Amino acid sequence: MADLPWYPIVAILGLAGVTLLSRSFFLIPEREVPIPGWLKEALRYAPLAALAAVVVPETFLTQGHLLDTWRDPRPYAALAGALWYWRSRGMLGTILCGTAVLLVLKLGLGW
């Protein structure tokens, strides 16, 4: 224990402190913090934008470049999942449908 460097522990504690402080700004006030209407409207789209920022590159990029082949199962799996969600609005079915299409194309057809 004495041989461990001290700076990773200090860094972890510092990051935990900064995280706790930054998140407590929204929890400490007893009254609701006034937010302009335009900001409330913009924040409604934040989760969707964050999800798109994660999913779209994973679906359409490989090694930092656009897919150059149509034999990649990821866009088809995403399309199948999107269609399932559009029809049924069920999250579990969306995940299962997309995963099933991905596995069939990848393992069944060898894409």
Side-chain angles (χ1 to χ4, degrees):
M1 186 76 183
D3 295 338
L4 291 175
W6 55 270
Y7 49 90
I9 296 170
V10 171
I12 290 170
L13 292 175
L15 289 170
V18 167
T19 301
L20 180 67
L21 182 67
S22 65
R23 292 185 180 220
S24 65
F25 284 138
F26 298 103
L27 299 175
I28 291 176
E30 293 182 12
R31 293 181 300 148
E32 184 176 332
V33 177
I35 297 176
W38 62 268
L39 185 56
K40 282 184 180 177
E41 185 68 20
L43 288 175
R44 286 183 49 212
Y45 299 103
L48 180 61
L51 183 63
V54 171
V55 170
V56 170
E58 284 296 321
T59 304
F60 296 105
L61 296 179
T62 183
Q63 303 291 328
H65 300 285
L66 279 174
L67 296 175
D68 57 353
T69 178
W70 60 272
R71 295 183 62 173
D72 193 307
R74 295 176 296 169
Y76 300 105
L79 179 65
L83 288 174
W84 183 278
Y85 184 77
W86 178 64
R87 292 286 296 165
S88 68
R89 302 285 181 196
M91 192 57 69
L92 181 61
T94 301
I95 294 170
L96 291 176
C97 179
T99 303
V101 169
L102 182 80
L103 289 176
V104 166
L105 293 177
K106 196 168 187 108
L107 300 176
L109 299 179
W111 286 11

